[in-house]
Amino acid sequence: MSSDTVTQIVGPGYLATLQGLCKVAETISSLIGVLLVGVDYTGWVVTIFEVAAAFSIIIAVILLLLYVTGVVEKIRFQWNKFQFGAHAILSLYYIVAVGLVLDHGQGISKVIAGGVFGLFAVIAHLLDAFDNYRKQPIF
């Protein structure tokens, strides 16, 4: 690892970082996506999508609160590695859920729109994972 490591911003300024913006985007995109998909559509596909969206919202909000409040500095843990793993695994699960929703949407515009917002959330998770890897490579 090189000596020019990227520092992690903690506190209210975290909201202006790429990770902070990604977490806000993950939360909003997942929330809009689950509302659109769950309105007129039921079944196992919706359940899979809603679980992915719920995990996305929960993880993003908890991590956002931990960084904004500065709790991450008080708890000694490799947060960037944890976030990288969580975002990578969630991205894989979420992309499968989005694919199923878009495939089984049967031309319902709300469901397709919800799937597109799910794709936005996947992109935000992947950007977040990349930024975490950039700050603390796992290998």
Side-chain angles (χ1 to χ4, degrees):
M1 194 162 111
S2 66
S3 62
D4 54 329
T5 58
V6 181
T7 58
Q8 179 68 54
I9 296 174
V10 178
Y14 182 77
L15 290 170
T17 66
L18 178 61
Q19 288 181 15
L21 294 173
C22 283
K23 285 175 182 54
V24 171
E26 292 159 13
T27 303
I28 292 171
S29 296
S30 294
L31 184 61
I32 293 172
V34 80
L35 289 174
L36 288 170
V37 170
V39 169
D40 290 332
Y41 196 66
T42 59
W44 64 274
V45 172
V46 171
T47 303
I48 290 173
F49 185 84
E50 288 175 346
V51 168
F55 278 126
S56 175
I57 292 168
I58 291 167
I59 289 172
V61 168
I62 289 173
L63 288 171
L64 186 64
L65 289 174
L66 289 174
Y67 275 96
V68 170
T69 60
V71 173
V72 293
E73 290 181 328
K74 294 178 177 111
I75 301 173
R76 288 287 196 215
F77 189 67
Q78 294 183 345
W79 289 103
N80 283 330
K81 288 182 180 182
F82 168 75
Q83 287 185 81
F84 174 79
H87 290 303
I89 291 168
L90 189 56
S91 294
L92 291 173
Y93 177 66
Y94 214 152
I95 196 81
V96 170
V98 166
L100 288 170
V101 162
L102 292 175
D103 183 49
H104 289 82
Q106 302 168 350
I108 303 169
S109 59
K110 290 179 188 176
V111 175
I112 301 298
V116 170
F117 275 100
L119 282 176
F120 293 156
V122 168
I123 292 167
H125 278 289
L126 290 173
L127 278 173
D128 206 349
F130 170 75
D131 196 47
N132 281 292
Y133 180 78
R134 183 177 63 92
K135 290 181 179 173
Q136 188 178 30
I138 57 174
F139 302 111

